[in-house]
Amino acid sequence: MASSSNFFFIFFLVLCLKITAKKTYIVQMKHQDKPLSFETHHDWHSSSLQSLTDSPPESLLYSYTEAFNGFAASLNEEQAESLNKSESILGVYEDTVYTLHTTRSPQFLGLDADLGLWATGGGTQASEDVIIGVLDTGVWPESMSFDDSGMPEIPSKWRGECEPGPDFGPKFCNKKLIGARSFSKGYRMAIGGGINKKPKEIDSPRDKDGHGTHTASTAAGSHVANASLLGYASGIARGMATRARVAAYKVCWETGCFGSDILAGMDRAIRDGVNVLSVSLGGRPAPYYRDTIALGAFAAVEKGIFVSCSAGNSGPTRATLANVAPWIMTVGAGTLDRDFPAYAVLGNKIRYNGVSLYSGRGMGKKLVGLVYNKDNNTFGNLCLPGSLKPSSVRGKVVICDRGTNARVEKGGVVRDAGGVGMILANTADSAEEPVADSHLLPAVAVGRKTGDLIRKYAQSNPNPTAKLVFGGTVLNVRPSPVVAAFSSRGPNMVTPQILKPDVIGPGVDILAAWSEAIGPTGLVKDTRKTKFNIVSGTSMSCPHISGLAALLKAAHPDWSPSAIKSALMTTAYTRDNTNSSLRDAADGSLSNPWVHGAGHVDPQKALSPGLIYDITTKQYISFLCSLAYTIDQVKTIVKRPNITCSKRFKDPGELNYPSFSVLFGDKRVVRYTRELTNVGPARSIFKVAVDGPSSVGISVRPRTLVFRHVGEKKRYTVSFVAKRKRRGSTVRSEYGSIVWGNAQHQVKSPVSFSWTFL
């Protein structure tokens, strides 16, 4: 009897929790259903929410009008279910959490300060009229990277503002940093207590993390002389588009970036009048109608705004890409021709190469004890907090396996236990590419193979010893670029017929501005302050492309976002500075389009691509209608009431994309038609050249395209024929290219071939 009573009590408790526990939901409305009696959509959203759920007015967190048709609200499960039954509502979705994809790059890309290529008449650069909106952790406005010396008045089209806050206000903005806003309601609901409870973090656009300041200054930072991270990478720091304007939208907080806040930031950025959106964050792959970033990006692109997003840092594992919608520029990461060498010298007199950004006192010339705590019970090999015994590591160099906790935290654990140095050794999961960090103690990061040799020495030698040596900054490294091991890889798991990533850009050891509210490692115990930091990630490569897009928009104001994307993709290069094919840092093997997309961006050539693949909103709709989505799901993305999907592609790969992803499956022949637009001189003639594996026949008709006028469009059809059927998983993917060329231009499209979806 007692057990029965307990059961009913627990059932009642769960039911009460279900009814009372509130979460943030994103609600999509049928935009056209707004009654005329409501002056604004906000009024309609508020009224609908109260009438359908009996919710108080403060339950309405955001009312969206540009990036999405609907609102975000704080609801319990029962209220969400009630809303979903309404005829005026297309869908109700629980809020999603996204994560951050956390001076030499302008020269590496060929954007020298005195280069007149990007300038317009009179010495004034047209990029002064281009505004880059950065969705991130906010901005540190005092940074010299946002100095507005010599900048003209703010463009009259700008409708944004510098929001006031406890530690922020209009006085912190200028003619360079022209806007700053913060969006925290989704975050505040997620941490509990509702939007009226004082949050742990101050609600303002000020950057307490550093990530947002770094990405914003990478995209469009002003020239800053004598910039460095504690002496490393010393020189001039500058963004890609030094004369473009910056608007910061803080959507990321301590616990992550919430979809409702991201959507609010995108919604506001569109209304404010940005030309480029830079988004260095992402989540797990999802259908486009459930992907907050994809939804907001579609609305932005439809209004002529270029959207650049990071591909993710989950490499070298395959099929790990984020932000794969075809209207988004998906950016992977590569290296620069700059390195920060450091060395682990062992007692057996063998010196192993590694990297480091350690800037304190060195270890001297004396060898000290070396220890590797491979104990499965304590996880000392990972150097987790509390895992090291001071009696074992005091005065020694400790080998720490990479993984589980932050790289820089491991060094702090070693230091706190009395260790004097650390060798951070990659494992199979992190492969061969070590990452340079500004460690709290002398530390060297090494790749997996080197790490295995050092681990073996430490475990086999009765008295292992080592010392660490630091080599400063080295330039003109060869080969470069190399695709970063952490850069997320294809294939595209949402729509495999679209090849992703699109391109790679500089994303390893990037020097840019930093928040002075936090040390270079981001650790609480790191009390160092620096105006610049060196960070790696596709978060860093994304704003490079955002800045380049701003330059292209300035040079070609009439180009659509897809035209800019096409120019960057079809002119990208796939050979490094030794004239060899691009390599993958994960294992040193040759890279491929699932790793580097079309290749590494080349802004000089992108300025004059010759031909472009343009895509209209109607074509994107035909693409969406070719997916297994309902009409309502398509409407969720395109926000139009009259969608019928009467016109749809037979295959999503028919989209006029600058690359090809060919899925044979049960078919032997896949045929696509593409359309090219002449953006070069009149009377241009292009001939086609194809390259592919022996297992696939490629034919193009016609083989010559003659463009008599600028802006003229011509179509071609390419047929891919599988010469024999692949069995099992012996060969799952191969690659090729299609190039339209003449003496002035080479318009190249990568091609991937798959016989199975994975």
Side-chain angles (χ1 to χ4, degrees), residues 346 348 350-352 370 399 425-426 446-461:
L346 306 186
N348 59 9
I350 297 178
R351 187 179 83 162
Y352 291 104
L370 178 68
I399 302 169
N426 281 10
V446 298
R448 180 186 64 82
K449 292 177 182 176
T450 298
D452 287 346
L453 293 171
I454 297 174
R455 283 183 279 251
K456 183 178 180 181
Y457 164 77
Q459 291 177 303
S460 61
N461 193 293

Side-chain angles (χ1 to χ4, degrees), residues 444-500:
V444 175
V446 298
R448 180 186 64 82
K449 292 177 182 176
T450 298
D452 287 346
L453 293 171
I454 297 174
R455 283 183 279 251
K456 183 178 180 181
Y457 164 77
Q459 291 177 303
S460 61
N461 193 293
N463 184 33
T465 57
K467 67 177 179 179
L468 307 179
V469 181
F470 303 94
T473 304
V474 175
L475 303 178
N476 302 313
V477 172
R478 297 161 72 89
S480 63
V482 175
V483 185
F486 60 74
S487 190
S488 289
R489 317 299 170 92
N492 178 346
M493 297 302 291
V494 182
T495 39
Q497 298 88 347
I498 301 296
L499 178 58
K500 291 280 183 170

Side-chain angles (χ1 to χ4, degrees), residues 47 72 79 136 197 228 255 274 279 327 381 425 448 478 483 504 506 513 554 602 637 641 728 749:
S47 176
Q79 291 171 326
D136 215 295
K197 182 180 177 181
S228 73
T255 54
V274 303
V279 187
W327 47 88
N381 63 306
R448 180 186 64 82
R478 297 161 72 89
V483 185
I504 60 169
D602 185 337
I637 302 164
S749 295

Side-chain angles (χ1 to χ4, degrees), residues 589-605:
S589 65
L590 293 178
S591 181
N592 63 64
W594 278 0
V595 178
H596 61 241
H600 193 287
V601 288
D602 185 337
Q604 301 280 7
K605 291 183 178 177

Side-chain angles (χ1 to χ4, degrees), residues 229-265:
L229 167 61
L230 305 173
Y232 282 99
S234 182
I236 295 175
R238 52 156 292 187
M240 297 297 97
T242 57
R243 304 290 287 179
R245 319 292 181 140
V246 175
Y249 298 84
K250 185 173 181 177
V251 298
C252 296
W253 307 85
E254 275 187 348
T255 54
C257 319
F258 292 84
S260 54
D261 295 333
I262 295 169
L263 203 53

Side-chain angles (χ1 to χ4, degrees), residues 200-315:
K200 183 179 177 182
E201 288 185 79
I202 294 175
D203 191 357
S204 91
R206 183 168 290 279
D207 182 12
K208 300 297 181 68
D209 178 272
H211 191 277
T213 301
H214 197 281
T215 56
S217 61
T218 299
S222 301
H223 288 84
V224 182
N226 301 316
S228 73
L229 167 61
L230 305 173
Y232 282 99
S234 182
I236 295 175
R238 52 156 292 187
M240 297 297 97
T242 57
R243 304 290 287 179
R245 319 292 181 140
V246 175
Y249 298 84
K250 185 173 181 177
V251 298
C252 296
W253 307 85
E254 275 187 348
T255 54
C257 319
F258 292 84
S260 54
D261 295 333
I262 295 169
L263 203 53
M266 297 180 95
D267 194 77
R268 189 69 249 191
I270 294 170
R271 275 190 282 165
D272 284 348
V274 303
N275 303 106
V276 176
L277 271 176
S278 189
V279 187
S280 289
L281 53 97
R284 294 180 178 178
Y288 301 131
Y289 58 86
R290 293 296 307 272
D291 184 336
T292 302
I293 295 175
L295 290 171
F298 189 95
V301 168
E302 190 175 12
K303 291 176 171 62
I305 301 168
F306 181 91
V307 183
S308 174
C309 293
S310 46
N313 297 343
S314 299

